[in-house]
Amino acid sequence: MIKKIARFFSPLPDKEVIEEDNKKLKKLQWSFFISATLGYGLYYVCRMSLNVVKKPLVDDGILTEQQLGIVGSALFFTYAVGKFVNGFLGDRVNITRFMAVGLIISSLVNIFLGMSHTFWVFVILWGINGWVQSMGAPSSVVGLSRWFTDKERGSYYGFWSASHNIGEAITFIATAFIVSIAGWRYGFGAAGIAGLIGAAVILIFMKDSPTSQGLPSVMPTKEQEKSAGKAQLEVLKNPYIWILALSSACMYVSRYAINSWGIFFLENQKAYSSIEASSIVAVSAVCGIVGTVLSGFLSDKLFKSNRVVPAVIFGICNAIAIALFVLVPEGYYYIDIASMILFGLSIGVLICYLGGLMATDIAPKRASGAALGVVGIASYLGAGLQDIMSGQLIGDSKTMIDGIAVYDFSSIRYFWIGAAALSVLFCTMLWRAKKKS
């Protein structure tokens, strides 16, 4: 059985290169890029679905705030370990099949959750979702290293990173709308159907590597000759990879504080309706697309491929945005919108730099998946701890007044802001990190 699974996920064999075909290469590069971007965007729809149904789940008595924190953390913890393991596997597998299978299972989990009402079923299924979700990013990043040269990859990576925000925007607008008119069960079901469509796109249009299609490799000859194991060991020995991982972990605390609890915060602290709260948070997802798309251009053109300077600048902007979001009182709608615009732009850039591009810059190209895995496990351990702590702090602050739940969000405000500030501090320690060329 294990041998059959291994054969199924084995990379396709190299085809003989008869002659260079730039037209075919460009066509397949675009086919990979579009399918990876759309496919990973729909991965996010299957990951973010829980975040727009939290209030209905609490209101219906299905889960408490503390239980929601545990359920959310189940995904983050399994995702963290999975990101590490699957990052190392990503350098060695057929990325098309690997990515498609992960999305198919994630879709089925969402569909089954729409039929469930038991806490431990939510925990187990959402934990499974976390593991299979971790099969998406390594496949995409390894593919970017296989299909694009060093000079191209920064810009394409920035555009691909917009898939996060595309998925978030779809969730906060389309899934939230379905939940508002049909209920939380249909929200999970719709996310599952969207994921199955994404898996079909991946299987049809994504190709494993140039060499499997009879095209020459775009990697430098030195990188091609290096074994995957030796390159991955270099990653584990690089201290800057681990500093980057800490910076990304703190950024992910602030990122998922808003993504996981932002709607809940607006509904209960600032008296917005579910649609209003979802729409405000959706602004950050839309603006994040702009941030990620521009991130590669900003670093390549304005900062001469230096990622640290813009990462520090936008890290400071992220901390300011979160402070505006949580500290400004009820009744300032336009400030709430402005905070989400700034948050979206900042997180869009930071996801690109801290969440992956800087790791692939300073790691051997044969170990892009491993570098992403190290950063990923730290990032999502941070996100998971955030969900547990936020859920616990919010639940502990709850009081019932005339049958209505009232929350005191004082504690988590400074937790979220502090995490963003720590991310900037760690990022400043990366000035001397050297790129692998």
Side-chain angles (χ1 to χ4, degrees), residues 4-321:
K4 288 183 179 179
I5 294 174
R7 282 198 299 270
F8 178 78
F9 287 115
S10 294
L12 295 177
D14 294 347
K15 291 183 179 179
E16 182 182 356
V17 179
I18 300 175
E19 61 179 346
E20 290 191 22
D21 188 340
N22 289 330
K23 186 176 180 180
K24 180 180 178 181
L25 175 62
K26 285 295 180 184
K27 179 182 177 181
L28 291 178
Q29 282 178 325
W30 276 106
S31 181
F32 168 83
F33 171 72
I34 293 171
S35 59
T37 302
L38 179 60
Y40 198 56
L42 293 173
Y43 254 88
Y44 257 71
V45 174
C46 291
R47 185 191 310 183
M48 301 292 293
S49 52
L50 179 67
N51 297 340
V52 296
V53 300
K54 286 185 172 179
K55 186 172 174 57
L57 286 171
V58 172
D59 290 346
D60 289 354
I62 306 296
L63 299 173
T64 66
E65 295 84 357
Q66 290 92 336
Q67 287 175 331
L68 278 171
I70 294 171
V71 171
S73 69
L75 180 144
F76 289 133
F77 289 141
T78 55
Y79 187 92
V81 178
K83 194 85 174 278
F84 185 78
V85 173
N86 290 324
F88 278 76
L89 288 176
D91 294 319
R92 304 165 182 265
V93 298
N94 180 324
I95 56 174
T96 303
R97 292 180 176 179
F98 201 62
M99 188 171 182
V101 167
L103 187 50
I104 290 169
I105 298 174
S106 182
S107 302
L108 295 176
V109 164
N110 272 267
I111 292 170
F112 288 141
L113 279 177
M115 307 173 187
S116 176
H117 60 274
T118 306
F119 168 60
W120 285 110
V121 172
F122 269 86
V123 172
I124 293 169
L125 288 180
W126 208 238
I128 293 172
N129 194 30
W131 183 272
V132 297
Q133 280 280 325
S134 71
M135 298 165 72
S139 302
S140 299
V141 172
V142 169
L144 288 167
S145 293
R146 289 179 182 177
W147 281 101
F148 298 100
T149 65
D150 287 351
K151 292 181 180 180
E152 300 171 304
R153 193 175 58 258
S155 297
Y156 279 99
Y157 191 104
F159 280 100
W160 168 79
S161 293
S163 58
H164 303 76
N165 308 101
I166 293 170
E168 290 171 5
I170 293 171
T171 301
F172 293 137
I173 296 172
T175 307
F177 176 74
I178 292 170
V179 171
S180 69
I181 62 173
W184 62 269
R185 296 185 187 278
Y186 285 90
F188 278 125
I193 293 171
L196 292 175
I197 294 171
V201 170
I202 292 168
L203 288 170
I204 295 170
F205 296 104
M206 181 185 287
K207 304 302 178 186
D208 186 40
S209 65
T211 54
S212 70
Q213 303 300 311
L215 295 168
S217 174
V218 301
M219 290 185 184
T221 303
K222 185 178 179 181
E223 285 290 338
Q224 295 177 51
E225 294 173 349
K226 185 180 295 183
S227 71
K230 184 177 180 180
Q232 290 174 341
L233 187 60
E234 283 185 34
V235 168
L236 295 175
K237 290 181 177 180
N238 189 336
Y240 289 113
I241 291 287
W242 294 99
I243 295 172
L244 175 63
L246 289 173
S247 181
S248 183
C250 293
M251 182 268 288
Y252 267 63
V253 170
S254 65
R255 176 193 177 192
Y256 277 100
I258 302 301
N259 282 354
S260 295
W261 295 98
I263 294 173
F264 191 90
F265 176 85
L266 290 174
E267 290 170 335
N268 292 281
Q269 180 68 16
K270 301 193 179 184
Y272 288 109
S273 68
S274 295
I275 290 294
E276 289 171 337
S278 297
S279 299
I280 291 171
V281 176
V283 169
S284 70
V286 174
C287 291
I289 296 173
V290 178
T292 50
V293 166
L294 291 179
S295 57
F297 172 81
L298 285 172
S299 61
D300 287 344
K301 304 299 180 183
L302 297 184
F303 297 96
K304 298 179 180 179
S305 296
N306 184 319
R307 324 286 187 199
V308 179
V309 175
V312 169
I313 292 172
F314 282 95
I316 294 171
C317 291
N318 177 44
I320 293 171

